[in-house]
Amino acid sequence: MSEMKADDPVDLDDLIGELAEEFSQRLRNGEKPDVEDYARRHPEAAEAIRQILPALEIMGAVPDPDVTSDSTVDGHQRGMIGEYRIVREAGRGGMGVVYEAEQLSLGRRVALKVLPFAAVLDERQIQRFRNEALAAAQLDHPHIVNVYGVGCERSVHFYAMRFVEGETLAAVIAQLRSSAQDSPVRESGGTADGEATKPSGAHDAGTTDTAPMAALSTRRSAPGNEFCRSAARIGIEIAQALDHAHQQGVIHRDIKPANIILDGTGKSWVTDFGLARMESGVAMTMTGDLLGTLRYMSPEQAMAKRVVVDHRTDIYSLGVTLYELLTLRPAWPDDDRHELLRKIAFEDPKPPR
């Protein structure tokens, strides 16, 4: 990383991000960078450096197998968080990085979601991350990715959940759209505000997993009964999962194709409760905050009214998701943020037929 002049204005979060990336790369190269050396060179960020970089030593840089280096750091095995051994990065989004990992005590594969390191500087982000784990842990349903455990080790906040082998509904829709040679639009998993789309527990092997597509049926030139039945089944499964969550007092608030996983049998799973609100708990945001992914927001979310957003927002977002699955086009295709919010709040989407 290039040296910054002392009088250059520096954003602390940007600086920490750059230092963390450099530190991680040096670890992957088999080096043993000194945390205190970084703290001395950047006294304005010394406290954060001492908090974040040691955590990177443990899990932020799983050693390259081709590089020979010490596998322990201050008595902690590198590539380990608690009893979880990191295998690889499986995905990342705005609320965390997801790793495929092995829970050594039970010998099972899990998805390990870790709070981004820069976020440990923000207590609000930490509490929101805990809220996500707590919301998901309260739910026990065959179509909701269940949580196994939660913890924090040397400033690394994490929770473990079921690892679902499959593809997101967003990826499947994109493949269906491509196979139907539809006109190009923004990929359905994308968002108007640039949020990453790979959700908790989703598998990403670097190649397309065709099993979920096969289970859904990819013949879309003329929608037939088989495809429509498959889409209806997905809708029913997600609706049942949401009904269960609502009965437990949990509102997801971010239902979209990227937060639904189809496994190899075509079974649907709801994941990523990062914006969930628990009716029995304290809201982590003001009711007027603009939450959720813009394209799939309900009108009440888009209008950001200072009223409580209830379970109906999830039902609306599921409807928008199914609209896109059936038509292969977003209900709201606009990319301009303000125009998108205006249309959601005051207009109806184009009739699917």
Side-chain angles (χ1 to χ4, degrees), residues 127-140:
Q127 190 56 49
R128 184 173 286 174
F129 186 79
R130 291 171 180 161
N131 180 69
E132 175 181 358
L134 179 61
Q138 290 184 7
L139 307 175
D140 183 12

Side-chain angles (χ1 to χ4, degrees), residues 134-157:
L134 179 61
Q138 290 184 7
L139 307 175
D140 183 12
H141 190 273
H143 296 291
I144 295 177
V145 177
N146 45 312
V147 170
Y148 295 144
V150 62
C152 178
E153 179 174 318
R154 296 189 71 185
S155 301
V156 179
H157 295 265

Side-chain angles (χ1 to χ4, degrees), residues 23 44 47 64 78-80 84 106 151 153-154 171 177 180 191 194 213 332 347:
F23 193 85
E44 73 280 14
E47 182 179 352
D64 187 322
R78 186 175 295 167
M80 292 286 299
Y84 302 98
L106 297 177
E153 179 174 318
R154 296 189 71 185
R177 180 184 296 133
T191 71
M213 274 188 63
W332 308 106
E347 296 185 10

Side-chain angles (χ1 to χ4, degrees), residues 51-258:
Q51 184 179 14
I52 292 174
L53 297 194
L56 282 170
E57 287 186 290
I58 298 177
M59 57 73 55
V62 181
D64 187 322
D66 295 328
V67 176
T68 302
S69 63
D70 188 0
S71 62
T72 62
V73 179
D74 295 335
H76 297 268
Q77 185 174 352
R78 186 175 295 167
M80 292 286 299
I81 307 179
E83 62 168 324
Y84 302 98
R85 180 180 64 84
I86 296 174
V87 176
R88 66 181 180 86
E89 182 177 318
R92 61 176 59 225
M95 280 297 293
V97 181
V98 179
Y99 296 93
E100 179 184 349
E102 179 186 7
Q103 186 177 6
L104 297 181
S105 62
L106 297 177
R108 66 178 172 185
R109 185 169 58 159
V110 302
L112 199 67
K113 187 164 187 177
V114 177
L115 186 69
F117 290 103
V120 303
L121 303 174
D122 185 348
E123 182 58 37
R124 180 170 165 139
Q125 292 279 10
I126 294 175
Q127 190 56 49
R128 184 173 286 174
F129 186 79
R130 291 171 180 161
N131 180 69
E132 175 181 358
L134 179 61
Q138 290 184 7
L139 307 175
D140 183 12
H141 190 273
H143 296 291
I144 295 177
V145 177
N146 45 312
V147 170
Y148 295 144
V150 62
C152 178
E153 179 174 318
R154 296 189 71 185
S155 301
V156 179
H157 295 265
F158 65 90
Y159 69 87
M161 55 192 158
R162 176 190 293 269
F163 187 90
V164 178
E165 191 93 33
E167 289 284 351
T168 69
L169 187 58
V172 171
I173 291 174
Q175 294 165 39
L176 290 169
R177 180 184 296 133
S178 176
S179 67
Q181 296 183 342
D182 210 341
S183 58
V185 293
R186 176 187 290 268
E187 183 174 327
S188 59
T191 71
D193 49 359
E195 181 184 347
T197 62
K198 199 69 175 179
S200 314
H203 176 59
D204 180 9
T207 57
T208 299
D209 186 348
T210 59
M213 274 188 63
L216 185 58
S217 174
T218 62
R219 288 182 245 182
R220 282 290 285 105
S221 56
N225 291 337
E226 183 180 356
F227 177 83
C228 291
R229 279 195 295 267
S230 296
R233 175 184 52 77
I234 291 172
I236 290 170
E237 290 174 351
I238 301 306
Q240 290 173 339
L242 292 176
D243 181 61
H244 171 76
H246 297 160
Q247 289 185 34
Q248 304 304 312
V250 176
I251 303 169
H252 191 287
R253 297 200 299 178
D254 197 20
I255 292 297
K256 59 184 178 181

